[in-house]
Amino acid sequence: MTLLILIIVLALIFDYINGFHDAANAIATVVATKVLTPFQAVVWAAFFNFLAYWVFGFGVADTVAKTAHTMEINLVVILAGVIAAICWNLLTWWLGIPSSSSHTLIGGFAGAAVAHAIAVHGFSGYVGEDGATHYWYEIVSWYKAGKDGAMPSGVLIIIAFIVLAPLLGALASYLISIWLLNASRKSIGPKIFTGALMIATIVFVYYQMIPYSEIDKPRFDSHFWSVAFEAHNIKWFLVAFIVLTVSGFCMIFSSLNLHQADAALKKMQLLSSAAFSLGHGGNDSQKVMGIIAAAVAVYINTNHGVHMDAWLDVVLPNEDLGVKGQMPSWIPLACYSAIAAGTLSGGWKIVKTMGSKITKVSSFEGVAAETAGALTLYFTEHLKIPVSTTHTITGSIIGVGLTKRVSAVRWGVTVSLVWAWILTIPISAILAGLVYFILSVFIS
């Protein structure tokens, strides 16, 4: 039990580090455009990091928890993964490199699991409990097909989104920028497009809503309030609110003078940075929840017959067996609190890189980048894919830079960032493997 408690404490410390490591993701553009002072920006971002507790479910947490097969690992594996992730996060923060905390954690978890499999079984095959021959690399859940046409999961999908998340962010921010630029012109075409988009958004979000009859545990006696405050529905309400707010601005953009437009865009930056902070809190806090859930599952597996106290009664969902997951409310509450506290601490070295070194950012570009980043995070969270908020907002900033000209993006800085992204998982995995072998000498 002592080792389990240590893992939970270190996981929350990692969550805190994640907060100040990734604070720049949400606040860099509002600081760069002087919409908020640095202190105001971190308070703003931290508040919405914590508010995400009431918005997002546990889909990403489930994906992270199943990075490695919990029946085949021990607590030393998870401890080594968390220690390696903390070390790499602190190093990249010190160097001012906006690397991915998400991929650091997943790389560390997977690397320690592989090291454990090699230590126990070697490189040759072994017969598992199912009677089949298995190999050391199978301890990691590399790929699992989605059920009933759903999105597949596994480490390979997470690795794929190292590329896809920034590309989606870049594409979304580029399209939003083009939309805003055309809306500034005094012609009817952009207004017709905006009106059609508003109608399409309302219809799409309506069909995404979960009705009262499908809510497992309604929060209120009233059907209306239960539907309105269902976490899944709140997320889609936010998507609609963001799109409709930008659409409303586009409808009046052409009638504003330069000063009025800039003032309106600065106010919209508050909305877009808040939306991105919500996505950051919802996406990144769940990864730590997943690690804690995996640790509890491993503890139960390695201590047969143990009775868990109510405060640690965690159950991982299993779609194949029809088992629904459960998690004591203190775990998500602690994770969201830790990441909010970390964001409140700031991370000024990375703020400088994100806010000025990639491309010069104005209020216009800030709104486009943060809106695109937030929408990307919401959709990937809906698909239960743990993506990097760092990669997403970096891609979004590049996308708005491309609307000016290709040379507006400082590609030298961007290439350095991409190398950091590519190396994060393998370096974290190797580091975690080394930590695992060292810990195994002292912890049986």
Side-chain angles (χ1 to χ4, degrees):
M1 179 62 79
T2 302
L3 193 55
L4 177 60
I5 300 300
L6 177 61
I7 289 170
I8 293 173
V9 171
L10 286 177
L12 292 174
I13 290 172
F14 172 84
D15 208 18
Y16 171 80
I17 294 170
N18 186 352
F20 72 72
H21 186 280
D22 290 2
N25 297 344
I27 68 173
T29 58
V30 289
V31 172
T33 55
K34 298 181 180 179
V35 174
L36 295 174
T37 66
F39 177 74
Q40 290 172 331
V42 292
V43 172
W44 182 257
F47 173 74
F48 285 98
N49 276 171
F50 182 75
L51 200 63
Y53 170 73
W54 286 277
V55 177
F56 296 94
F58 305 127
V60 171
D62 178 41
T63 300
V64 173
K66 294 176 179 175
T67 298
H69 299 299
T70 53
M71 296 294 289
E72 300 179 31
I73 61 175
N74 57 27
L75 289 178
V76 178
V77 169
I78 300 179
L79 179 60
V82 174
I83 290 174
I86 288 174
C87 292
W88 181 246
N89 246 15
L90 288 174
L91 178 63
T92 52
W93 166 76
W94 180 256
L95 296 174
I97 301 170
S99 66
S100 167
S101 299
S102 313
H103 296 123
T104 301
L105 190 61
I106 290 162
F109 191 6
V114 168
H116 172 74
I118 293 172
V120 174
H121 303 291
F123 292 99
S124 58
Y126 62 95
V127 179
E129 293 181 1
D130 56 0
T133 301
H134 297 278
Y135 294 90
W136 56 272
Y137 52 82
E138 292 179 357
I139 197 169
V140 174
S141 177
W142 296 105
Y143 180 86
K144 182 181 179 181
K147 192 175 182 180
D148 298 328
M151 187 75 183
S153 60
V155 173
L156 290 177
I157 300 300
I158 296 169
I159 291 173
F161 271 82
I162 292 177
V163 177
L164 292 176
L167 282 179
L168 287 172
L171 178 62
S173 63
Y174 180 82
L175 293 175
I176 290 171
S177 298
I178 296 299
W179 176 28
L180 288 169
L181 285 170
N182 281 281
S184 66
R185 296 168 183 160
K186 295 183 182 297
S187 58
I188 193 64
K191 289 181 173 56
I192 293 174
F193 170 81
T194 300
L197 182 63
M198 293 172 77
I199 294 170
T201 299
I202 293 169
V203 172
F204 174 78
V205 169
Y206 174 79
Y207 282 104
Q208 295 300 318
M209 294 293 104
I210 295 178
Y212 182 83
S213 59
E214 295 180 15
I215 298 175
D216 290 331
K217 296 179 180 179
R219 297 184 182 183
F220 304 94
D221 293 331
S222 166
H223 286 211
F224 174 80
W225 292 114
S226 294
V227 171
F229 283 93
E230 174 64 21
H232 173 89
N233 294 345
I234 292 175
K235 179 175 61 184
W236 288 111
F237 285 143
L238 283 171
V239 170
F241 181 71
I242 292 166
V243 175
L244 294 177
T245 301
V246 176
S247 298
F249 173 76
C250 287
M251 284 293 195
I252 63 169
F253 195 5
S254 61
S255 63
L256 303 176
N257 60 40
L258 187 61
H259 176 73
Q260 291 172 327
D262 187 58
L265 283 166
K266 286 186 175 181
K267 290 178 182 177
M268 286 177 64
Q269 261 199 282
L270 293 175
L271 168 65
S272 60
S273 63
F276 191 86
S277 295
L278 271 173
H280 172 218
N283 200 285
D284 284 21
S285 291
Q286 285 190 58
K287 292 152 193 172
V288 176
M289 292 180 219
I291 290 296
I292 294 174
V296 173
V298 170
Y299 179 79
I300 293 171
N301 293 337
T302 53
N303 294 272
H304 299 290
V306 68
H307 176 72
M308 299 302 293
D309 295 331
W311 70 281
L312 273 178
D313 188 17
V314 177
V315 177
L316 292 179
N318 189 320
E319 293 182 0
D320 297 330
L321 300 177
V323 176
K324 290 189 176 182
Q326 67 178 42
M327 189 177 294
S329 58
W330 75 266
I331 294 178
L333 194 60
C335 289
Y336 283 112
S337 298
I339 201 168
T343 298
L344 201 58
S345 302
W348 308 119
K349 290 186 177 183
I350 300 176
V351 167
K352 186 177 180 182
T353 299
M354 300 293 286
S356 60
K357 287 188 178 180
I358 295 174
T359 187
K360 186 179 179 181
V361 179
S362 66
S363 295
F364 177 93
E365 283 95 7
V367 168
E370 288 161 350
T371 301
L375 293 175
T376 302
L377 290 179
Y378 293 174
F379 278 100
T380 52
E381 194 279 338
H382 177 67
L383 297 173
K384 302 181 181 179
I385 301 170
V387 300
S388 167
T389 54
T390 306
H391 297 184
T392 303
I393 194 63
T394 303
S396 299
I397 292 172
I398 290 171
V400 296
L402 290 174
T403 59
K404 292 179 280 189
R405 60 187 185 283
V406 174
S407 60
V409 177
R410 297 185 177 98
W411 294 105
V413 174
T414 305
V415 169
S416 299
L417 298 182
V418 171
W419 273 113
W421 300 349
I422 293 171
L423 293 173
T424 290
I425 287 182
I427 289 178
S428 299
I430 293 169
L431 182 59
L434 293 173
V435 173
Y436 170 81
F437 287 121
I438 293 170
L439 290 176
S440 296
V441 174
F442 302 98
I443 305 173
S444 58

